[in-house]
Amino acid sequence: MPAADKKSNLANLWTYCIFLLASLLLFSPVLNKNFASDDFAVLYRLVYQHKIFIREFFRPLSDITLYLSYLMGGFDPLYFNVFNVIIHGSCAYMLYRFCSMRQVLPVENRTFFAWSAAILFLIYPYHNESVVWVVGRASMMACFFGFLSLLIAFSEMPASRKYLLSCLCYFIGLCGYETILPLPGIVLFLLYRKGMPLKNLFVIAAGYSATLILNMIVRYQVSGGLLGSYGSKLFSPNWSDYISKILKTAGRLFLPPSTHSILLIVGFLIVFFIIVTISFICIKRRNSDSGTYFIITGSLCLACIVPFMFGINTRTFEGDRVFYFASFFLCIWAGFIFQLIKRAKIRLAAVFLAGAYCLYFFYQSIDSWRTAGKITTTILQQTGNLKPTGKHLMLINLPEEFNGAQVFRNGFQEALLINHIDTTGLIVINYLASEDAEKINGIIQPVFKGDSILLPPYSAIYKGIISSRQWANTGDTIYYHSSTSDKIYYWNKKAFLPVNKPF
């Protein structure tokens, strides 16, 4: 191997190590975070039931890596969390390598462009669900192979080999999550802008199309469906629903979630004005920069197709994993904008401000997940200590999430079983959403009215009959009959406390 190649490979290895170390440092507050919600359900299915494929659900790539993490460290969350963070650092490194490719995008300040885009991706705050939530790795693993497919497609390999490998990585990525579906369109768009003949483009498009069709066939044969329970979110008879999803998703690409809709609207209008101004400046230049700008913007729009169709939560960080693929191209877009600034001091100041903005909300998101992990641990410890002396142990206001960070929306029974806690007679009356919890000042306290006990926000006990809205997003009321020997506990935001029954 020539000395120059050895030096280049060593430099790439050091750069990769830098991204891994930075990723581990950034996410160090949550490396020991407990599992949450679906984590328990999936791990129980994999470890105890030995099932990877289930009806209308196709995530074998994620499930296989989860089982490998289990083989390495059992049910120790550290092994799962470190794996996720390493994959995230690897994705950031691949973004750096993609931006460093001279044959893809004509950029003047390439080193600055590559580093700024990759660092922004590393600290981008609105895709942390993919990294911090253990089963959220499904979208990240899909993107890992999607980004690898992208890098291979623009590598120096012979055409016949690289497009075959690119299609293989695309197939594997689709076994993780659906957000990378638009990847072939992005590759073809970039190749077209480079001037590749249409004949060659048709051949490459046929290869990617065959890969997608084959994956859909395998998906249907294995799971019995194509989109599973998520399919209902993709299609709507009203165009206004799509417009609303697109506007909300576009805003959330740049803005944090908020319960104040006016703030989000104002923030979106400011962002929209900035983007229009940048686009106008690029059009006015009429040089290679303007062409590159629209190539990157077009790629970003294609990458956002799935988030646009799914929509995104504007109130919490929940669901941000669908942004992981799109954020790759958003950070390329941002990095390109910054390198257009001619004055070095202003350019560095702009990146610093963008980085400070990202880090502020990055650690808001991290803090939500850390708090959610503490809540999960507290609930499991307390439930293990609650020994029912009667027939049933009833729990009211079991937290389903904290500011979008999962707690026990699913998987509570499996969590107890994994932690060797007896589930006999256990009944979860209802689940508490953080939005409802925040509306209650201080801790939740029972309100006694005659023979009734009211337990905010949606539960009541009257003469042994418990009525409650089981889920925050439904208006259906359920009823349970309790006896005097049953034990009833409620979550007061910090701990489970017994309900002192007047009957």
Side-chain angles (χ1 to χ4, degrees):
M1 181 182 293
D5 290 342
K6 287 184 178 180
K7 187 177 180 181
S8 176
N9 289 337
L10 184 61
N12 288 333
L13 178 60
W14 277 111
T15 303
Y16 179 55
C17 290
I18 289 172
F19 279 106
L20 290 186
L21 180 60
S23 189
L24 288 167
L25 288 173
L26 284 165
F27 288 93
S28 59
V30 288
L31 289 182
N32 280 305
K33 181 192 69 66
N34 206 343
F35 301 116
S37 195
D38 296 68
D39 294 344
F40 295 106
V42 173
L43 288 173
Y44 185 84
R45 169 170 57 83
L46 293 173
V47 175
Y48 292 112
Q49 298 177 332
H50 304 291
K51 290 171 62 177
I52 291 180
F53 302 108
I54 59 177
R55 185 73 178 171
E56 293 191 353
F57 196 79
F58 193 72
R59 297 281 189 273
L61 176 60
S62 172
D63 286 355
I64 289 170
T65 63
L66 287 169
Y67 191 68
L68 290 175
S69 296
Y70 166 76
L71 292 178
M72 287 188 289
F75 288 111
D76 187 346
L78 177 66
Y79 289 85
F80 295 82
N81 294 328
V82 169
F83 181 95
N84 280 20
V85 173
I86 288 174
I87 295 298
H88 179 58
S90 301
C91 289
Y93 173 71
M94 283 193 279
L95 190 153
Y96 167 82
R97 289 296 301 273
F98 181 73
C99 292
S100 299
M101 289 181 167
R102 298 185 180 278
Q103 66 271 32
V104 183
L105 300 170
V107 178
E108 183 179 347
N109 300 305
R110 186 165 298 279
T111 301
F112 179 87
F113 167 54
W115 276 105
S116 61
I119 290 172
L120 286 175
F121 179 80
L122 201 62
I123 62 175
Y124 179 72
Y126 310 134
H127 63 198
N128 279 348
E129 189 178 61
S130 295
V131 188
V132 183
W133 190 19
V134 169
V135 298
R137 75 167 59 168
S139 62
M140 187 169 54
M141 290 303 304
C143 293
F144 175 87
F145 283 97
F147 302 153
L148 189 58
S149 174
L150 185 67
L151 282 175
I152 292 172
F154 291 95
S155 68
E156 298 295 337
M157 291 184 196
S160 58
R161 187 190 306 171
K162 71 179 181 181
Y163 291 119
L164 181 62
L165 286 174
S166 180
C167 287
L168 175 61
C169 289
Y170 180 54
F171 181 91
I172 296 172
L174 287 173
C175 294
Y177 212 68
E178 294 78 19
T179 44
I180 67 167
L181 278 169
L183 177 66
I186 295 171
V187 173
L188 293 169
F189 177 64
L190 292 172
L191 290 173
Y192 173 76
R193 295 296 302 180
K194 281 183 61 182
M196 178 174 281
L198 288 177
K199 180 181 178 181
N200 295 354
L201 286 175
F202 280 127
V203 173
I204 297 169
Y208 283 117
S209 299
T211 302
L212 177 59
I213 292 170
L214 177 61
N215 186 274
M216 293 297 106
I217 292 173
V218 172
R219 179 185 295 257
Y220 186 79
Q221 290 296 322
V222 170
S223 67
L226 294 178
L227 298 174
S229 60
Y230 295 111
S232 59
K233 297 182 180 180
L234 292 177
F235 306 105
S236 172
N238 301 319
W239 281 102
S240 59
D241 291 340
Y242 288 113
I243 295 172
S244 175
K245 286 181 180 180
I246 290 172
L247 292 176
K248 289 179 179 179
T249 303
R252 279 283 281 108
L253 273 171
F254 299 90
L255 301 170
S258 174
T259 55
H260 302 289
S261 56
I262 300 299
L263 285 177
L264 284 176
I265 293 172
V266 172
F268 176 76
L269 290 175
I270 293 172
V271 169
F272 181 76
F273 174 78
I274 293 172
I275 293 173
V276 170
T277 302
I278 292 170
S279 301
F280 177 77
I281 293 172
C282 287
I283 292 172
K284 195 174 180 180
R285 286 187 175 186
R286 294 184 180 179
N287 55 19
S288 61
D289 285 342
S290 61
T292 305
Y293 171 78
F294 287 108
I295 292 171
I296 296 173
T297 303
S299 300
L300 173 59
C301 291
L302 288 171
C304 288
I305 287 176
V306 174
F308 283 160
M309 295 185 71
F310 271 104
I312 194 71
N313 195 326
T314 59
R315 293 177 174 269
T316 70
F317 290 105
E318 184 178 359
D320 281 5
R321 63 190 180 278
V322 300
F323 275 153
Y324 200 85
F325 183 67
S327 64
F328 185 91
F329 298 93
L330 174 65
C331 292
I332 293 175
W333 182 87
F336 179 76
I337 295 301
F338 291 134
Q339 67 85 38
L340 288 178
I341 302 172
K342 299 302 180 183
R343 294 186 179 182
K345 290 183 178 180
I346 298 177
R347 186 166 62 237
L348 287 172
V351 173
F352 176 81
L353 289 174
Y357 170 85
C358 286
L359 279 174
Y360 178 80
F361 291 108
F362 176 92
Y363 280 109
Q364 269 199 0
S365 169
I366 291 297
D367 187 61
S368 292
W369 281 100
R370 181 170 55 182
T371 303
K374 290 179 179 179
I375 292 172
T376 300
T377 300
T378 299
I379 288 173
L380 290 175
Q381 290 174 346
Q382 286 200 318
T383 306
N385 294 327
L386 298 178
K387 304 297 183 183
T389 56
K391 184 177 180 182
H392 295 113
L393 172 63
M394 299 180 171
L395 302 180
I396 295 175
N397 286 344
L398 180 68
E400 57 175 295
E401 44 78 33
F402 177 80
N403 195 26
Q406 296 289 324
V407 179
F408 279 124
R409 179 166 296 165
N410 298 302
F412 185 53
Q413 290 283 341
E414 291 86 348
L416 298 176
L417 293 172
I418 286 173
N419 286 274
H420 309 293
I421 299 172
D422 186 11
T423 62
T424 304
L426 179 69
I427 298 175
V428 177
I429 302 297
N430 73 303
Y431 293 82
L432 178 67
S434 59
E435 290 182 40
D436 291 325
E438 288 174 1
K439 295 175 184 177
I440 303 170
N441 293 326
I443 61 173
I444 297 173
Q445 297 183 10
V447 178
F448 295 89
K449 290 187 176 181
D451 292 337
S452 297
I453 303 176
L454 304 181
L455 284 162
Y458 302 117
S459 301
I461 304 174
Y462 177 69
K463 293 184 177 180
I465 298 176
I466 305 173
S467 61
S468 181
R469 182 192 297 181
Q470 188 171 27
W471 298 97
N473 58 355
T474 64
D476 300 330
T477 301
I478 58 170
Y479 298 91
Y480 286 96
H481 291 267
S482 66
S483 67
T484 54
S485 63
D486 290 335
K487 294 295 182 181
I488 305 175
Y489 287 80
Y490 71 98
W491 180 256
N492 74 342
K493 295 190 188 181
K494 294 184 178 181
F496 274 119
L497 296 178
V499 176
N500 297 314
K501 299 175 289 186
F503 50 88

